């Protein structure tokens, strides 16, 4: 983390500075965040969420549309006593009249955390390079790290008694998307076995497999990239995502022809997976394309719990980074500032 302009930041606290990719944090840090998620979810059920983001703001830059990421960050900030600022390209100068560097520097001086969904990886990397506060990747064309926290937590909530994450094999059905790539790295880092099941043309790029190879050596996990749908029989978690992103509408017909019907998640496909297999989907879902409505509504589907856990994850992220980089002022310091200001006000 770079030296900030504010003295309210404790540089002695080490570890993850930004949350850009799955490479940025250790399994220990992810475990810590999931423990926080547990407590915050319980607190939310009791309507008793501690105000751990009070007086703080998260700048939320969205260059692309979002339902879950936008709403979950904004609601998380509110529930924790703080504020989320929604900043679309129409609202700020980023990408137009102002550089990424200057935008990061200015937002860092006013906000406590910057979260951004960007069209270009260079934008989120640039924000992180120049920001003096933590930068969270709310999805770029490479990674979706905040989705991963919600996904792992949801899998843990729904796996069978006595099962460990390392006992599971997750199958991602479809294209090597940001979510697929993030799952490959998360699973192999965490000791979970991973499969991408999809047509050869849309399979994972070698550079990410090289990183996964390193993770597998450490964790004992394995991965397989295959076009063989029958491999679903080895899987405990089936994961769906759109066959095309908003920037790929011009390829929609070609992609649908490549993926359908073989790689569509149907009730029949779920029946071929391991007994008790669960279905996750990052949403939004295109009914009758990558997943059928019947499968999405099946007893095995945890897609809407997963969506709700985006809120649980964002609460944990805001609390985690606030705790890591903010010094809580003593009552003495608070009183000293209040007295000075009130004394001045009496003279005005
Ligand atoms: N899964 C996900 O990121 O959803 P949104 O695009 O709605 O944020």
């Amino acid at each position: 983390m770079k030296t900030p302009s504010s003295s309210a930041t404790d540089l002695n606290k080490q570890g993850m500075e930004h949350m850009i990719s799955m490479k940025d944090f250790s399994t220990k840090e992810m475990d810590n965040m999931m423990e926080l998620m547990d407590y915050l979810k319980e607190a939310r059920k009791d309507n008793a969420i501690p105000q751990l983001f009070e007086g703080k703001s998260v700048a939320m830059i969205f260059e692309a549309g979002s339902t879950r990421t936008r709403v979950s960050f904004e609601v998380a900030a509110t529930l924790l006593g703080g504020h989320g600022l929604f900043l679309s390209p129409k609202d700020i100068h980023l990408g137009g009249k102002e550089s990424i560097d200057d935008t990061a520097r200015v937002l860092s001086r006013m906000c406590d955390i910057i979260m951004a969904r960007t069209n270009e990886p260079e934008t989120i990397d640039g924000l992180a390079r120049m920001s003096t506060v933590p930068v969270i990747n709310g999805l770029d064309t490479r990674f979706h790290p905040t989705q991963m926290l919600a996904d792992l937590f949801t899998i843990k909530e729904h796996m069978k008694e006595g099962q460990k994450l390392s006992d599971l094999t997750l199958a991602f059905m479809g294209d090597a998307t940001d979510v697929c790539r993030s799952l490959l790295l998360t699973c192999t880092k965490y000791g979970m076995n991973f499969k991408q099941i999809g047509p050869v043309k849309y399979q994972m790029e070698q550079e990410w497999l090289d990183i996964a190879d390193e993770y597998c050596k450490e964790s004992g996990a394995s991965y397989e990239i295959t076009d063989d749908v029958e491999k679903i029989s080895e899987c405990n978690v089936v994961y769906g995502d759109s066959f095309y992103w908003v920037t790929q509408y011009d390829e929609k017909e070609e992609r649908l022809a490549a993926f359908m019907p073989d790689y569509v998640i149907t009730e029949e496909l779920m029946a071929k997976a391991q007994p008790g297999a669960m279905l996750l989907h990052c949403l939004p879902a295109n009914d009758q394309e990558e997943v059928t409505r019947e499968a999405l509504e099946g007893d095995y589907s945890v897609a809407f719990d997963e969506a709700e856990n985006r809120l649980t994850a964002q609460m944990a992220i805001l609390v985690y980074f606030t705790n890591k980089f903010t010094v809580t002022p003593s009552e003495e310091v608070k009183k000293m500032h209040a007295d000075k200001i009130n004394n001045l006000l009496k003279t005005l």
Side-chain angles (χ1 to χ4, degrees), residues 65-70 117 138-139 144 147 245 282-284 310:
S66 163
T67 299
R68 278 143 291 273
T69 310
R70 189 240 161 118
R117 170 169 290 192
L139 173 66
H144 201 353
Q147 178 78 50
W245 179 234
C282 54
L283 304 178
R310 298 296 308 279

Side-chain angles (χ1 to χ4, degrees), residues 105-129:
R105 291 168 69 188
V106 171
L107 290 179
S108 300
R109 287 172 179 242
M110 298 183 188
C111 299
D112 301 278
I113 295 179
I114 299 171
M115 193 285 305
R117 170 169 290 192
T118 61
N119 291 327
E120 304 293 339
E122 293 73 24
T123 310
I124 188 83
D125 289 346
L127 289 170
R129 195 177 60 250

Side-chain angles (χ1 to χ4, degrees), residues 28 39 43 104 107 167 170 174 191 194 282 289 315:
K28 172 88 173 56
Y39 288 162
L107 290 179
D167 297 330
L170 179 148
F194 173 87
C282 54
E289 288 183 7
M315 285 196 290

